[in-house]
Amino acid sequence: MRDTAAQAHPSVGKAFAGYVSQNILGMIGMSAYILADTFFISQAEGSRGITALNLVLPLYSLIFAIGSMMGVGSATRFKICRAREDGQADLFFSNAVWFALLFGAVFMLPGIFFPDRVVAFMGGDAQIVEVGTPYTRIFLLFSPFFMLNYIFNAFVRNDGAPSLAMAATLSSSLFNIVMDYILMFPLGLGMAGAALATVFSPVVGILICSVHFLSKKNTIRFRRTPPSPGRLARSCQLGVAAFVGELSSGVTTMVFNVLILGLAGNIGIAAYGVVANTAIVATSIFNGISQGAQPLLSECYGAGDGASVRKLLKLSVAAALGAAILIIALANGLTEQIVDLFNSEGNMQMAAYAQSGMKLYFTGFLFAGFNIVGTGYLSATEKAGWAFATSIMRGFAAISVCAFVLSRLFGMTGVWLGFPASEFLTAILMTAAIAGRRKGT
């Protein structure tokens, strides 16, 4: 990489604070509606509803992961090309939109024809299938909108409008939370109501982001060109960290669901649902740091400003460490209160599982924060190989092996320890990756 600047640009720190703070708020807002779903479903359907939601959550993660990979990857290519004054920049937005529609259609088909089989395949028994089928049918039918929301948000953020991107995310989440209550309780629609509130929230986000396309500052253009798999592949190389970051929560959930079903049954799954859905909010903070720094990293990298790139990396790691310490402290200090919010039936066994699980599981964020911002840095600076390796390590290999081995040794305690153990192993590889990137290897 060219390094034409001996010192970081003085405005980098200020820009980092602005972008990251707004993206953290936006990502928290994006994850808040899943937490709201969990809360309202726990009140309306009890532990059966939480179990059903947690079993289909990996599908959510897969849909979000594909949208995030296309959105973040394409927007990153767009930003780098803009910094290099490359005319190819205009082609990445329309290409991402076309493929969101194509991939979204694939998820719509099972939603139309066999949503009940989807719930059963994810591990639901007859009772859980009955509760979860309406929810699954509806959110699968709206898959393209979830993907498009990621794409619109990423491009608007990278085109110099992070405040509007944040407003879109927060507004869509607020809409979801309010409609969750209205549809589930006054209108009595139960799980179907929760699903309807969820699927219309990305539509709100897309509409708000679309305001940017009417502004004078907009440089994003929709080009009427056919979908290009090659261009998508180039984008996805830089979006793989975002993909695995989103998908890892789904893989973790699926692996844990299988292990916990064998150890503690549906009550254990409900307890894990509380831990996992609370953890999504915590993870969103680190995603906010990573995605907030990404436009700045890509711009400085594209311009050959190595000093600013290094400063942004240090700021990202410091922010992640500070956030991790705060999250772990809150999780340990407010464990009982958090679990009680989702335990409307007063199930003591579920509460015991969830409380011990939250304290053990959340220690992993001390390493997870570093890993998330690290993969974002590697992707933003076109180190796709390292980004892929660390992402696969974190999202698939380490978590699967650690959870399986530790659960065999320590039962439910081992399941909870699988997450911090896998993040610790990934942090070792991440350190080597970042050191290699800075040496230019």
Side-chain angles (χ1 to χ4, degrees), residues 78-351:
F78 165 82
K79 191 71 173 180
I80 292 174
C81 288
R82 275 281 183 265
R84 294 173 176 171
E85 299 182 352
D86 186 339
Q88 292 288 312
D90 283 341
L91 302 176
F92 287 100
F93 176 69
S94 55
N95 200 59
V97 170
W98 285 125
F99 278 101
L101 296 175
L102 291 172
F103 289 136
V106 174
F107 286 94
M108 293 175 68
L109 294 176
I112 295 171
F113 295 110
F114 45 86
D116 53 337
R117 296 182 188 178
V118 173
V119 181
F121 176 78
M122 302 303 290
D125 56 24
Q127 286 185 327
I128 301 304
V129 169
E130 181 182 1
V131 173
T133 295
Y135 190 95
T136 305
R137 175 185 291 113
I138 293 170
F139 88 73
L140 286 176
L141 290 175
F142 278 75
S143 298
F145 292 97
F146 290 113
M147 296 181 188
L148 288 170
N149 188 37
Y150 258 109
I151 292 167
F152 276 59
N153 200 280
F155 270 88
V156 168
R157 181 176 64 245
N158 278 24
D159 200 33
S163 297
L164 182 62
M166 177 194 69
T169 304
L170 292 178
S171 298
S172 63
S173 296
L174 179 61
F175 171 88
N176 185 31
I177 293 169
V178 172
M179 294 307 295
D180 255 336
Y181 172 78
I182 293 173
L183 294 173
M184 292 186 72
F185 295 102
L187 297 182
L189 295 180
M191 292 287 283
L196 287 170
T198 297
V199 300
F200 282 113
S201 63
V203 177
V204 173
I206 291 169
L207 290 174
I208 294 175
C209 282
S210 297
V211 172
H212 177 71
F213 301 120
L214 304 176
S215 72
K216 295 180 179 179
K217 295 181 179 180
N218 172 52
T219 67
I220 304 168
R221 302 288 183 266
F222 186 89
R223 300 300 185 189
R224 294 182 180 179
T225 56
S228 169
R231 192 170 296 115
L232 178 69
R234 287 182 61 208
S235 299
C236 289
Q237 285 180 334
L238 302 187
V240 68
F243 173 81
V244 178
E246 289 288 347
L247 190 62
S248 63
S249 63
V251 172
T252 302
T253 300
M254 185 174 290
V255 170
F256 279 34
N257 283 344
V258 171
L259 295 174
I260 292 172
L261 273 173
L263 292 170
N266 285 346
I267 292 299
I269 293 293
Y272 176 55
V274 174
V275 175
N277 286 295
T278 306
I280 286 174
V281 178
T283 302
S284 71
I285 295 174
F286 302 114
N287 285 334
I289 296 171
S290 178
Q291 294 186 22
Q294 177 267 311
L296 300 173
L297 282 166
S298 296
E299 183 174 13
C300 293
Y301 171 78
D305 186 356
S308 292
V309 169
R310 291 189 289 273
K311 181 176 181 179
L312 287 166
L313 173 62
K314 292 177 182 178
L315 290 171
S316 298
V317 172
L321 180 61
I325 293 171
L326 179 60
I327 288 168
I328 294 170
L330 289 173
N332 279 270
L334 301 173
T335 306
E336 292 185 15
Q337 292 88 335
I338 294 171
V339 173
D340 285 346
L341 284 175
F342 306 99
N343 191 16
S344 62
E345 298 170 330
N347 190 307
M348 298 300 293
Q349 187 177 15
M350 193 274 272

Side-chain angles (χ1 to χ4, degrees), residues 38-51:
T38 307
F39 173 73
F40 287 124
I41 288 171
S42 71
Q43 301 301 307
E45 303 288 348
S47 60
R48 290 196 311 164
I50 297 179
T51 301

Side-chain angles (χ1 to χ4, degrees), residues 48-92:
R48 290 196 311 164
I50 297 179
T51 301
L53 177 65
N54 205 54
L55 287 177
V56 299
L57 204 59
L59 288 175
Y60 256 124
S61 297
L62 180 58
I63 293 169
F64 287 177
I66 294 172
S68 179
M69 177 173 61
M70 291 190 295
V72 172
S74 298
T76 301
R77 285 291 183 196
F78 165 82
K79 191 71 173 180
I80 292 174
C81 288
R82 275 281 183 265
R84 294 173 176 171
E85 299 182 352
D86 186 339
Q88 292 288 312
D90 283 341
L91 302 176
F92 287 100

Side-chain angles (χ1 to χ4, degrees), residues 351-423:
Y353 280 140
Q355 288 174 19
S356 63
M358 186 169 293
K359 292 177 180 179
L360 294 171
Y361 189 97
F362 270 60
T363 59
F365 284 115
L366 192 62
F367 310 107
F370 171 66
N371 293 332
I372 291 170
V373 300
T375 51
Y377 160 78
L378 293 170
S379 293
T381 55
E382 291 191 298
K383 206 63 176 178
W386 271 119
F388 180 76
T390 53
S391 297
I392 291 298
M393 177 73 169
R394 175 177 183 260
F396 300 95
I399 189 63
S400 300
V401 173
C402 289
F404 179 80
V405 172
L406 292 175
S407 69
R408 290 295 181 269
L409 294 175
F410 306 112
M412 283 293 288
T413 299
V415 174
W416 303 127
L417 288 173
F419 176 68
S422 66
E423 293 292 350

